[in-house]
Amino acid sequence: MECLRRTLLAMILTAFVAGGVDAQATDSTGIRMAGLTWLLDSVLPKHQANITAVCVGFTNAAATGTRPVASDAVDLNAAEFPALPKGSLPVHPGSACTVEQAAPKWTVVTATGKRAVSVLVGPVRSLSAGQWSVGVQLRINGRYGEGYLCEAVRAQDQWHMTGCRATWIS
């Protein structure tokens, strides 16, 4: 599982920061990636038997993590995804996935029809000096999803989650 997590994170981070990012965006990216890391480490393992791929998007929906939000996700440099090395679970931009129309409305990779988990990472919010939050959610199908609000601090040049709390489960 650790190998899978590291591979997914490396692929996503490589795609997102390709081409250079300014310092402020790097902090935002770091916080979002820390939230994504937490989700992959703590939530995804219990669902891994049900999925064959991960679809990731960043959204500006302020409610991400606090209540279910529709996927208005922005792909993480979608042009970079085809060139990335493949991990145990393929990673796709959010736009590469759809939700089936028939119940239970599985999230699937559009090109293959294989089941996937849709992950959205919301915008970064300032809580206080040096403390930030980010919402994350995953959707496996139309009947099941989870949302979390995570708090982050910077320590030793890296962003770390100090805690994540479930805010909704459907």
PDB file of all heavy atoms in Angstrom, residues 3 5 12 16 30 38 82 110 119 121 129 141 146 158 166 170:
ATOM      1  N   CYS A   3       3.794   1.671  -1.289  1.00  0.00           N
ATOM      2  CA  CYS A   3       4.343   1.865  -2.640  1.00  0.00           C
ATOM      3  C   CYS A   3       3.294   2.511  -3.548  1.00  0.00           C
ATOM      4  O   CYS A   3       3.601   3.429  -4.292  1.00  0.00           O
ATOM      5  CB  CYS A   3       4.796   0.535  -3.208  1.00  0.00           C
ATOM      6  SG  CYS A   3       5.479   0.665  -4.865  1.00  0.00           S
ATOM      7  N   ARG A   5       0.735   4.390  -2.610  1.00  0.00           N
ATOM      8  CA  ARG A   5       0.522   5.762  -2.181  1.00  0.00           C
ATOM      9  C   ARG A   5       1.627   6.667  -2.697  1.00  0.00           C
ATOM     10  O   ARG A   5       1.375   7.724  -3.250  1.00  0.00           O
ATOM     11  CB  ARG A   5       0.457   5.843  -0.652  1.00  0.00           C
ATOM     12  CG  ARG A   5       0.147   7.249  -0.156  1.00  0.00           C
ATOM     13  CD  ARG A   5       0.311   7.368   1.338  1.00  0.00           C
ATOM     14  NE  ARG A   5       1.680   7.288   1.758  1.00  0.00           N
ATOM     15  CZ  ARG A   5       2.546   8.300   1.689  1.00  0.00           C
ATOM     16  NH1 ARG A   5       2.202   9.445   1.204  1.00  0.00           N
ATOM     17  NH2 ARG A   5       3.790   8.148   2.096  1.00  0.00           N
ATOM     18  N   ILE A  12       0.915  12.606  -9.268  1.00  0.00           N
ATOM     19  CA  ILE A  12       0.050  13.778  -9.190  1.00  0.00           C
ATOM     20  C   ILE A  12       0.862  15.041  -8.986  1.00  0.00           C
ATOM     21  O   ILE A  12       0.655  16.050  -9.644  1.00  0.00           O
ATOM     22  CB  ILE A  12      -0.999  13.594  -8.076  1.00  0.00           C
ATOM     23  CG1 ILE A  12      -1.939  12.443  -8.443  1.00  0.00           C
ATOM     24  CG2 ILE A  12      -1.790  14.876  -7.838  1.00  0.00           C
ATOM     25  CD1 ILE A  12      -2.775  11.942  -7.288  1.00  0.00           C
ATOM     26  N   PHE A  16       1.239  18.306 -11.388  1.00  0.00           N
ATOM     27  CA  PHE A  16       0.727  19.593 -10.946  1.00  0.00           C
ATOM     28  C   PHE A  16       1.782  20.685 -10.956  1.00  0.00           C
ATOM     29  O   PHE A  16       1.489  21.819 -11.282  1.00  0.00           O
ATOM     30  CB  PHE A  16       0.115  19.472  -9.549  1.00  0.00           C
ATOM     31  CG  PHE A  16      -0.646  20.692  -9.159  1.00  0.00           C
ATOM     32  CD1 PHE A  16      -1.850  20.991  -9.768  1.00  0.00           C
ATOM     33  CD2 PHE A  16      -0.149  21.555  -8.215  1.00  0.00           C
ATOM     34  CE1 PHE A  16      -2.552  22.126  -9.439  1.00  0.00           C
ATOM     35  CE2 PHE A  16      -0.842  22.698  -7.874  1.00  0.00           C
ATOM     36  CZ  PHE A  16      -2.050  22.978  -8.480  1.00  0.00           C
ATOM     37  N   GLY A  30       1.230  22.430  -1.755  1.00  0.00           N
ATOM     38  CA  GLY A  30       1.738  21.587  -0.670  1.00  0.00           C
ATOM     39  C   GLY A  30       0.653  21.214   0.321  1.00  0.00           C
ATOM     40  O   GLY A  30       0.566  20.068   0.776  1.00  0.00           O
ATOM     41  N   TRP A  38      -3.141  12.417   3.101  1.00  0.00           N
ATOM     42  CA  TRP A  38      -3.914  11.882   4.224  1.00  0.00           C
ATOM     43  C   TRP A  38      -5.062  11.011   3.721  1.00  0.00           C
ATOM     44  O   TRP A  38      -5.296   9.917   4.227  1.00  0.00           O
ATOM     45  CB  TRP A  38      -4.452  13.022   5.096  1.00  0.00           C
ATOM     46  CG  TRP A  38      -5.269  12.479   6.209  1.00  0.00           C
ATOM     47  CD1 TRP A  38      -4.827  12.035   7.423  1.00  0.00           C
ATOM     48  CD2 TRP A  38      -6.678  12.249   6.185  1.00  0.00           C
ATOM     49  NE1 TRP A  38      -5.879  11.549   8.157  1.00  0.00           N
ATOM     50  CE2 TRP A  38      -7.033  11.665   7.421  1.00  0.00           C
ATOM     51  CE3 TRP A  38      -7.674  12.475   5.243  1.00  0.00           C
ATOM     52  CZ2 TRP A  38      -8.334  11.315   7.731  1.00  0.00           C
ATOM     53  CZ3 TRP A  38      -8.972  12.115   5.557  1.00  0.00           C
ATOM     54  CH2 TRP A  38      -9.296  11.546   6.790  1.00  0.00           C
ATOM     55  N   PRO A  82      -0.764  11.608 -19.606  1.00  0.00           N
ATOM     56  CA  PRO A  82      -0.366  10.475 -20.448  1.00  0.00           C
ATOM     57  C   PRO A  82       1.122  10.127 -20.354  1.00  0.00           C
ATOM     58  O   PRO A  82       1.496   8.975 -20.553  1.00  0.00           O
ATOM     59  CB  PRO A  82      -0.716  10.933 -21.864  1.00  0.00           C
ATOM     60  CG  PRO A  82      -1.755  11.977 -21.680  1.00  0.00           C
ATOM     61  CD  PRO A  82      -1.415  12.650 -20.381  1.00  0.00           C
ATOM     62  N   THR A 110     -14.107   6.717 -18.108  1.00  0.00           N
ATOM     63  CA  THR A 110     -14.960   6.777 -19.295  1.00  0.00           C
ATOM     64  C   THR A 110     -14.452   5.871 -20.415  1.00  0.00           C
ATOM     65  O   THR A 110     -15.237   5.160 -21.039  1.00  0.00           O
ATOM     66  CB  THR A 110     -15.068   8.227 -19.800  1.00  0.00           C
ATOM     67  OG1 THR A 110     -15.504   9.051 -18.714  1.00  0.00           O
ATOM     68  CG2 THR A 110     -16.043   8.345 -20.947  1.00  0.00           C
ATOM     69  N   VAL A 119     -11.689  11.692  -6.532  1.00  0.00           N
ATOM     70  CA  VAL A 119     -11.155  12.456  -5.407  1.00  0.00           C
ATOM     71  C   VAL A 119     -11.157  13.932  -5.781  1.00  0.00           C
ATOM     72  O   VAL A 119     -10.659  14.306  -6.843  1.00  0.00           O
ATOM     73  CB  VAL A 119      -9.724  12.004  -5.050  1.00  0.00           C
ATOM     74  CG1 VAL A 119      -9.136  12.871  -3.966  1.00  0.00           C
ATOM     75  CG2 VAL A 119      -9.709  10.532  -4.643  1.00  0.00           C
ATOM     76  N   VAL A 121     -10.085  17.745  -4.219  1.00  0.00           N
ATOM     77  CA  VAL A 121      -9.354  18.493  -3.196  1.00  0.00           C
ATOM     78  C   VAL A 121      -9.767  19.946  -3.349  1.00  0.00           C
ATOM     79  O   VAL A 121      -9.651  20.518  -4.429  1.00  0.00           O
ATOM     80  CB  VAL A 121      -7.833  18.332  -3.356  1.00  0.00           C
ATOM     81  CG1 VAL A 121      -7.100  19.072  -2.245  1.00  0.00           C
ATOM     82  CG2 VAL A 121      -7.442  16.849  -3.361  1.00  0.00           C
ATOM     83  N   ALA A 129      -2.619  32.374  12.013  1.00  0.00           N
ATOM     84  CA  ALA A 129      -1.219  32.480  11.597  1.00  0.00           C
ATOM     85  C   ALA A 129      -0.571  31.096  11.570  1.00  0.00           C
ATOM     86  O   ALA A 129      -0.485  30.420  12.589  1.00  0.00           O
ATOM     87  CB  ALA A 129      -0.463  33.397  12.545  1.00  0.00           C
ATOM     88  N   ASN A 141     -19.431   5.844  -5.602  1.00  0.00           N
ATOM     89  CA  ASN A 141     -20.629   5.727  -6.435  1.00  0.00           C
ATOM     90  C   ASN A 141     -21.656   6.734  -5.949  1.00  0.00           C
ATOM     91  O   ASN A 141     -21.391   7.509  -5.030  1.00  0.00           O
ATOM     92  CB  ASN A 141     -21.178   4.293  -6.440  1.00  0.00           C
ATOM     93  CG  ASN A 141     -21.554   3.802  -5.055  1.00  0.00           C
ATOM     94  OD1 ASN A 141     -22.173   4.517  -4.268  1.00  0.00           O
ATOM     95  ND2 ASN A 141     -21.183   2.575  -4.753  1.00  0.00           N
ATOM     96  N   GLU A 146     -17.405  10.250   0.998  1.00  0.00           N
ATOM     97  CA  GLU A 146     -16.972  10.749   2.300  1.00  0.00           C
ATOM     98  C   GLU A 146     -16.317  12.104   2.109  1.00  0.00           C
ATOM     99  O   GLU A 146     -15.653  12.340   1.109  1.00  0.00           O
ATOM    100  CB  GLU A 146     -15.945   9.811   2.940  1.00  0.00           C
ATOM    101  CG  GLU A 146     -16.432   8.408   3.183  1.00  0.00           C
ATOM    102  CD  GLU A 146     -15.351   7.498   3.739  1.00  0.00           C
ATOM    103  OE1 GLU A 146     -14.472   7.974   4.488  1.00  0.00           O
ATOM    104  OE2 GLU A 146     -15.397   6.299   3.421  1.00  0.00           O
ATOM    105  N   GLN A 158       7.856  21.117   5.126  1.00  0.00           N
ATOM    106  CA  GLN A 158       6.814  20.274   4.558  1.00  0.00           C
ATOM    107  C   GLN A 158       5.498  20.576   5.253  1.00  0.00           C
ATOM    108  O   GLN A 158       5.477  20.951   6.425  1.00  0.00           O
ATOM    109  CB  GLN A 158       7.140  18.790   4.745  1.00  0.00           C
ATOM    110  CG  GLN A 158       8.309  18.334   3.914  1.00  0.00           C
ATOM    111  CD  GLN A 158       8.483  16.824   4.013  1.00  0.00           C
ATOM    112  OE1 GLN A 158       7.646  16.120   4.553  1.00  0.00           O
ATOM    113  NE2 GLN A 158       9.574  16.322   3.476  1.00  0.00           N
ATOM    114  N   ALA A 166     -14.117  13.802   9.833  1.00  0.00           N
ATOM    115  CA  ALA A 166     -15.196  13.494   8.891  1.00  0.00           C
ATOM    116  C   ALA A 166     -16.297  14.509   9.065  1.00  0.00           C
ATOM    117  O   ALA A 166     -16.684  14.840  10.189  1.00  0.00           O
ATOM    118  CB  ALA A 166     -15.720  12.081   9.137  1.00  0.00           C
ATOM    119  N   SER A 170     -22.016   9.486   2.996  1.00  0.00           N
ATOM    120  CA  SER A 170     -23.310   9.139   2.409  1.00  0.00           C
ATOM    121  C   SER A 170     -23.272   7.712   1.896  1.00  0.00           C
ATOM    122  O   SER A 170     -22.256   7.131   1.729  1.00  0.00           O
ATOM    123  CB  SER A 170     -23.655  10.084   1.253  1.00  0.00           C
ATOM    124  OG  SER A 170     -22.747   9.938   0.195  1.00  0.00           O
TER     125      SER A 170
END
